[in-house]
């Protein structure tokens, strides 16, 4: 597995209007998606939206509940990139990447839209 970090990503909405967070019956596992605009010279305005699934287990589930995250919340995460494999309803083999969450925190976005890092007063002004 690859160690990965994602900063200032947005909690994406669930599939087909479902809640953004899907907790297991016991509450010891949760699944959600994060998204961010990425550069793509082939896309309209050179940007496209990219989503990736995230899974959390154990104590992180309670922490996510206490953070009261919702669709549109900005977060920073760290975790391990893994691959899920399954067969769909038609028996076709499918796979996707998923991040197994190690840590999550609120991301700080200034009111003027500038990226302020993780609340540490970082300012990323780029002079011309």
């Amino acid at each position: 597995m690859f160690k990965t970090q994602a900063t200032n990503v947005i909690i994406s909405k669930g599939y087909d209007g479902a809640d953004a967070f899907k907790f297991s019956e016991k509450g010891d596992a949760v699944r959600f998606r994060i998204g961010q605009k990425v550069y793509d010279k082939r896309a309209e305005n050179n940007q496209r939206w990219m989503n990736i699934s995230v899974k959390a287990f154990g104590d992180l589930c309670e922490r996510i509940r206490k953070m009261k995250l919702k669709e549109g919340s900005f977060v920073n995460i760290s975790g391990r990139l893994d691959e899920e494999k399954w067969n769909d309803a038609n028996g076709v083999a499918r796979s996707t990447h998923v991040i197994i969450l190690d840590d999550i925190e609120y991301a700080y976005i200034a009111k003027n839209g500038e990226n302020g890092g993780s609340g540490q007063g970082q300012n990323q002004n780029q002079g011309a």
Side-chain angles (χ1 to χ4, degrees), residues 42-90:
R42 297 169 293 173
E44 184 177 330
N45 297 323
N46 293 328
Q47 293 183 347
R48 65 180 169 86
W49 192 257
M50 186 179 127
N51 285 305
I52 190 164
S53 292
V54 178
K55 285 183 171 182
F57 301 96
D59 294 338
L60 281 171
C61 296
E62 184 60 27
R63 184 171 168 194
I64 289 169
R65 273 198 169 98
K66 288 180 180 179
M67 290 174 76
K68 297 184 180 181
L69 296 171
K70 59 185 178 191
E71 176 187 329
S73 297
F74 284 85
V75 294
N76 299 324
I77 67 165
S78 63
R80 297 161 286 140
L81 187 63
D82 201 358
E83 182 180 34
E84 281 189 337
K85 295 180 181 183
W86 73 96
N87 291 325
D88 69 11
N90 298 320

Side-chain angles (χ1 to χ4, degrees), residues 7-26:
T7 58
N8 295 321
V9 293
I10 299 172
I11 302 294
S12 299
K13 58 179 130 181
Y15 290 108
D16 295 329
D19 291 336
F21 292 88
K22 186 175 181 180
F23 285 89
S24 67
E25 277 187 33
K26 293 181 181 179

Side-chain angles (χ1 to χ4, degrees), residues 110-126:
K111 287 185 181 180
N112 63 5
E114 286 187 30
N115 175 356
S118 61
Q120 300 170 355
Q122 299 170 348
N123 198 355
Q124 298 179 352
N125 290 333
Q126 296 177 354

Side-chain angles (χ1 to χ4, degrees), residues 91-105:
V92 177
R94 303 280 183 177
S95 67
T96 190
H97 288 102
V98 64
I99 296 173
I100 307 300
L101 195 67
D102 289 331
D103 194 20
I104 187 168
E105 66 182 13

